[in-house]
């Protein structure tokens, strides 16, 4: 698929793409262009070429209906000596969604300040979490099995947590988006207060299994689940780094060690940390945003509980 507009030509192939930017301004240094995290494959005084794999360069993968989209940004990073300001253009390759493709979040790889590569995954699973779901349609009241994981490779051991999750009818969150809160307040599964939703017993520190009861929000429409994941030092849990769910006749319980369920006491108010060091520093862990979907919740009263 060949796309073009003004200065940019885009050739989208099944596994890779080629972008050619033609620059008419002589004062623009072609070496200062970037596609996501990638530098040009080649360039001349007037032309910049990127030939890259769609799994590289921090491409984002989004599925909407019958289409699979890979999105990125072409950016010119202005230098102090340049008379041309920094600018960027969106880059999108759109494909038909393969029939056998399940809605897994794209798997970007990134380096965390010399501590090794992390690869995050999130996907819909079958009932016992042994493989991918065979359908993205769930009857109202049934349980939606969701798994998140992080491949740690050479990284120090980390514990994977959901920090926030909301459901929306859009693949990208917008100010006008209708939202259904699932996990809020730094790891509190608030949906478990009104449903059978729960965290399943952890099998690995690098994996987290969530059984989410199918809700009435956007019934019959496409739903996307937006989550912020945190890979965190397991010895440094506090009331902002936790996985808590609500058990009837018991109250809030900490998944990883119920003895310390007092870390969940703030779930009904506001959870704030006293730690001064930020997760963004990369010293204790790292955050990652993920989008799962689309999935559909159908009104099948025979499956309701």
């Amino acid at each position: 698929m060949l796309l073009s507009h003004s200065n940019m030509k885009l050739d989208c192939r099944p596994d890779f793409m080629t972008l050619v930017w033609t620059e008419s301004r002589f004062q623009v240094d072609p070496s200062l262009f970037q596609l996501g995290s990638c530098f040009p494959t080649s360039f001349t005084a007037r032309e910049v070429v990127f030939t890259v794999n769609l799994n590289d360069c921090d491409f984002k993968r989004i599925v909407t209906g019958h289409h699979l989209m890979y999105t990125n940004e072409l950016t010119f990073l202005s230098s102090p000596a340049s008379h041309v300001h920094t600018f960027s253009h969106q880059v999108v390759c759109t494909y038909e969604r393969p029939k056998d493709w399940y809605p897994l979040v794209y798997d970007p790889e990134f380096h965390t300040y010399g501590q090794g590569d992390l690869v995050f995954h999130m996907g819909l699973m079958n009932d016992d979490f042994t493989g991918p779901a065979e359908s993205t349609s769930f009857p109202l009241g049934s349980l939606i099995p969701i798994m998140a994981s992080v491949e740690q490779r050479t990284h120090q051991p980390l514990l994977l947590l959901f920090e926030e999750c909301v459901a929306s009818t859009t693949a990208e969150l917008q100010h006008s988006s209708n939202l259904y809160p699932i996990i809020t307040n730094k790891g509190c599964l608030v949906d478990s207060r009104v449903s059978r939703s729960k965290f399943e017993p952890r099998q690995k520190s690098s994996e987290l299994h969530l059984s989410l009861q199918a809700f009435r929000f956007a019934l019959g429409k496409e739903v996307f689940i937006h989550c912020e994941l945190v890979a965190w030092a397991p010895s440094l849990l506090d009331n902002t780094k936790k996985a808590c769910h609500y058990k009837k006749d018991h109250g809030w319980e900490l998944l990883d060690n119920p003895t310390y369920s007092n870390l969940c006491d703030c779930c009904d108010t506001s959870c704030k940390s006293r730690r001064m060091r930020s997760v963004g520093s990369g010293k204790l862990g790292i955050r990652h945003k993920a989008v799962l979907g689309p999935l559909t919740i159908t009104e099948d009263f025979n499956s309701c509980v």
Side-chain angles (χ1 to χ4, degrees):
M1 178 175 57
L2 185 63
L3 304 173
S4 65
H5 62 82
S6 61
N7 300 55
M8 185 169 68
K9 290 185 178 180
L10 190 60
D11 187 8
C12 298
R13 301 299 178 96
D15 298 316
F16 70 96
M17 55 84 69
T18 298
L19 184 154
V20 179
W21 178 271
T22 304
E23 182 54 60
S24 59
R25 293 167 290 188
F26 289 101
Q27 60 268 44
V28 172
D29 182 348
S31 68
L32 297 179
F33 280 89
Q34 280 186 235
L35 178 61
S37 60
C38 290
F39 293 99
T41 307
S42 63
F43 59 85
T44 64
R46 301 290 296 277
E47 191 174 81
V48 182
V49 179
F50 294 86
T51 300
V52 297
N53 191 293
L54 292 170
N55 291 321
D56 298 331
C57 308
D58 291 339
F59 271 93
K60 293 182 179 180
R61 186 168 74 182
I62 298 174
V63 60
T64 56
H66 299 292
H67 295 97
L68 193 62
M69 296 188 299
Y70 289 82
T71 68
N72 212 327
E73 279 195 349
L74 175 69
T75 305
F76 172 74
L77 301 172
S78 181
S79 68
S82 176
H83 297 290
V84 179
H85 296 297
T86 295
F87 63 87
S88 62
H89 289 273
Q90 188 176 28
V91 176
V92 180
C93 283
T94 303
Y95 305 88
E96 288 189 10
R97 176 179 173 180
K99 293 182 179 179
D100 59 350
W101 188 86
Y102 296 109
L104 299 177
V105 169
Y106 65 98
D107 303 333
E109 297 185 19
F110 47 90
H111 203 64
T112 56
Y113 305 94
Q115 299 182 60
D117 289 335
L118 298 179
V119 182
F120 287 86
H121 305 265
M122 193 167 109
L124 296 174
M125 305 297 289
N126 58 16
D127 290 342
D128 58 3
F129 290 90
T130 57
E134 296 182 359
S135 172
T136 58
S137 180
F138 297 90
L140 179 67
S142 66
L143 292 178
I144 304 172
I146 298 172
M147 184 189 78
S149 66
V150 58
E151 293 180 25
Q152 301 179 196
R153 299 188 177 180
T154 59
H155 201 287
Q156 65 183 24
L158 293 172
L159 185 73
L160 185 67
L161 300 166
F162 285 114
E163 187 166 80
E164 311 282 341
C165 286
V166 297
S168 171
T169 54
T170 56
E172 295 186 8
L173 291 180
Q174 303 164 356
H175 291 297
S176 59
S177 297
N178 291 324
L179 303 178
Y180 178 83
I182 299 170
I183 297 173
T184 65
N185 218 354
K186 309 294 183 181
C188 301
L189 180 55
V190 291
D191 189 64
S192 63
R193 294 215 61 166
V194 295
S195 71
R196 294 185 296 130
S197 297
K198 61 180 179 177
F199 292 117
E200 299 293 347
R202 198 187 288 270
Q203 305 298 315
K204 300 177 182 178
S205 64
S206 59
E207 288 186 5
L208 193 54
H209 295 177
L210 169 63
S211 291
L212 178 66
Q213 186 173 1
F215 36 74
R216 282 194 173 275
F217 174 78
L219 198 64
K221 299 180 181 179
E222 288 189 342
V223 173
F224 298 84
I225 297 176
H226 301 257
C227 292
E228 185 156 319
L229 309 176
V230 178
W232 188 253
S235 62
L236 294 172
L237 293 182
D238 64 12
N239 58 5
T240 67
K241 301 294 179 295
K242 62 191 185 301
C244 298
H245 52 194
Y246 192 85
K247 290 193 170 182
K248 290 180 174 62
D249 303 322
H250 177 76
W252 288 104
E253 182 178 279
L254 185 69
L255 170 67
D256 294 295
N257 190 342
T259 304
Y260 294 97
S261 291
N262 62 307
L263 294 180
C264 304
D265 289 348
C266 61
C267 284
D268 290 325
T269 54
S270 178
C271 298
K272 297 179 181 179
S273 176
R274 295 180 180 178
R275 296 188 185 278
M276 299 303 292
R277 187 182 292 178
S278 169
V279 66
S281 69
K283 300 300 183 182
L284 302 177
I286 194 163
R287 287 191 178 95
H288 173 72
K289 291 184 178 180
V291 185
L292 180 65
L295 55 93
T296 307
I297 298 172
T298 60
E299 190 160 12
D300 184 346
F301 288 103
N302 292 326
S303 300
C304 292
V305 292

